[in-house]
């Protein structure tokens, strides 16, 4: 978890679950036992459980509070939703109380931004009220990248939805019907120091959100990478990447672009406090966590 001020913005994580675990070769199908063994020392114990051979991930939203606005990035799986994956199905998670504990009331949220429209990034866009899905944040505009939005809108028009369940129908469409959706270009400049960057691969319209605030630069990069092991081995794409080759290309490019800068990286699923900086070395890239710890052994 994190709660800190960068520039003029306060950044706070709101967790749905931490310690979500996957076998390495389930999460990263191309990984080898040798790659895991070589990196075990810096990953254990919070990023990797050597005894059980499981990688750990967090599922969280990020709150950004500026002088003018409260912004929520990615909204996890959500409660009470019909989902295919048992660990996502009909959740009753502490997410809402964690949001309240962070001092955020749903009415205060001005913008909700989704890096992409997969099942674990849109859930709390809506909540169940009197048997209907309604926007959880009644005063917010919900910002969606055009490529990602159109892709699912077209699928919906053809009677399809996510393989994970009626994700678009229950977590995006009600926002559109409420008149709260704002569909923008994948590289749009927004006000107040925000802009989008297209980062396709994990999903066709995946975008990263950049915040520039009083000299601080933070990139909320969603699922460009799922686990810090991918900083060491950028060619490893996750099982959940729709185009693993494009995902690897985007990741390598992203790491090279931000390496050795002051840019703070905020991936959706990194444990150990999530935030960090990318550094280059003779053997590739390293990730130095702001909270302490690094991919350097
Ligand atoms: Zn995700």
């Amino acid at each position: 978890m994190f709660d800190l001020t960068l520039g003029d913005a306060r950044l706070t994580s709101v967790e749905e679950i931490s310690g979500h675990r996957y076998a390495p070769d389930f999460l990263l199908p191309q990984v080898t036992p040798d790659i895991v063994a070589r990196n075990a020392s810096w990953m254990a114990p919070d990023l990797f459980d050597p005894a059980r051979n499981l990688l750990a991930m967090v599922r969280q939203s990020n709150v950004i509070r500026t002088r003018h606005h409260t912004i929520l990035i990615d909204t996890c799986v959500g409660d009470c939703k019909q989902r295919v994956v048992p660990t996502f199905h009909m959740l009753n998670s502490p997410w809402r109380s964690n949001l309240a504990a962070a001092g955020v009331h749903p009415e205060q949220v001005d913008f909700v931004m989704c890096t992409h429209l997969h099942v674990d990034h849109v859930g709390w866009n809506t909540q169940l009220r009197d048997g209907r899905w309604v926007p959880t944040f009644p005063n917010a505009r919900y910002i969606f990248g055009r490529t990602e939005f159109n892709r699912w809108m077209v699928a919906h028009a053809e009677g399809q939805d996510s393989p994970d369940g009626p994700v678009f129908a229950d977590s995006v469409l009600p926002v559109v019907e409420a008149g709260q959706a704002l569909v923008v270009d994948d590289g749009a400049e927004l006000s107040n120091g925000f802009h989008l960057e297209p980062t396709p691969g994990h999903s066709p319209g995946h975008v990263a959100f950049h915040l520039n605030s009083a000299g601080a630069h933070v990139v909320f990069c969603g699922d460009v990478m799922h686990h810090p092991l991918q900083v060491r081995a950028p060619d490893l794409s996750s099982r959940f990447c729709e185009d693993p080759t494009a995902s690897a290309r985007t990741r390598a490019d992203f790491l090279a672009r931000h390496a050795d800068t002051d840019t703070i990286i905020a991936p959706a699923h990194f444990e150990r406090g999530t935030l960090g900086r990318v550094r280059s070395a003779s053997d590739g890239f390293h990730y130095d966590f702001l909270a302490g710890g690094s991919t350097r052994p």
Side-chain angles (χ1 to χ4, degrees):
M1 286 179 61
F2 57 85
D3 183 10
L4 78 174
T5 298
L6 291 170
D8 288 333
R10 180 179 173 190
L11 312 183
T12 311
S13 66
V14 175
E15 290 184 356
E16 183 167 74
I17 187 172
S18 77
H20 194 60
R21 290 170 199 282
Y22 290 108
D25 61 354
F26 179 85
L27 179 65
L28 307 168
Q30 305 300 317
V31 80
T32 62
D34 179 57
I35 293 173
V36 176
R38 271 191 277 125
N39 290 279
S41 64
W42 65 259
M43 294 196 293
D46 51 341
L47 300 166
F48 175 60
D49 178 345
R52 294 196 291 158
N53 190 37
L54 293 173
L55 296 173
M57 289 162 60
V58 65
R59 211 160 61 227
Q60 62 188 340
S61 302
N62 298 154
V63 176
I64 305 167
R65 279 170 278 197
T66 71
R67 258 200 297 272
H68 306 291
H69 293 114
T70 297
I71 298 125
L72 187 65
I73 298 191
D74 287 336
T75 60
C76 300
V77 169
D79 278 4
C80 306
K81 300 207 156 163
Q82 299 277 348
R83 296 294 181 251
V84 172
V85 175
T87 51
F88 290 173
H89 181 61
M90 299 299 280
L91 278 193
N92 178 15
S93 85
W95 187 91
R96 184 189 280 278
S97 53
N98 289 343
L99 184 73
V104 179
H105 300 286
E107 294 75 17
Q108 294 173 317
V109 175
D110 300 295
F111 294 99
V112 177
M113 299 175 175
C114 296
T115 55
H116 62 300
L117 302 183
H118 281 178
V119 60
D120 57 322
H121 293 259
V122 299
W124 274 108
N125 282 0
T126 59
Q127 62 183 348
L128 202 54
R129 178 168 293 163
D130 302 326
R132 287 182 56 232
W133 293 107
V134 298
T136 307
F137 309 98
N139 302 316
R141 304 300 304 273
Y142 289 65
I143 296 174
F144 303 117
R146 194 176 308 284
T147 302
E148 187 78 356
F149 181 84
N150 284 350
R151 175 263 184 109
W152 291 110
M153 197 64 174
V154 167
H156 176 76
E158 294 170 351
Q160 296 163 15
D161 206 312
S162 163
D164 294 302
V167 175
F168 187 83
D170 66 29
S171 299
V172 179
L173 206 53
V175 171
V176 177
E177 289 168 351
Q180 291 178 241
L182 188 61
V183 180
V184 302
D185 291 342
D186 293 2
E189 291 281 343
L190 307 175
S191 56
N192 297 299
F194 279 96
H195 74 271
L196 277 63
E197 174 194 4
T199 43
H202 178 65
S203 70
H206 189 289
V207 295
F209 287 100
H210 289 247
L211 167 65
N212 286 283
S213 173
H217 179 206
V218 188
V219 190
F220 299 87
C221 63
D223 288 358
V224 166
M225 42 201 176
H226 288 72
H227 191 279
L229 184 55
Q230 293 170 284
V231 178
R232 299 296 295 134
D235 52 326
L236 296 178
S237 286
S238 86
R239 165 174 301 275
F240 311 114
C241 291
E242 296 184 51
D243 183 341
T245 304
S247 175
R249 194 165 50 234
T250 290
R251 188 164 41 257
D253 176 64
F254 182 89
L255 291 168
R257 194 143 21 88
H258 296 298
D260 307 318
T261 70
D262 275 340
T263 299
I264 307 288
I265 312 298
H269 296 295
F270 280 21
E271 291 276 15
R272 197 178 284 175
T274 304
L275 306 175
R277 291 188 179 89
V278 179
R279 296 290 178 237
S280 60
S282 57
D283 61 347
F285 298 109
H286 284 282
Y287 195 82
D288 293 339
F289 288 89
L290 290 196
S294 172
T295 61
R296 296 167 216 268

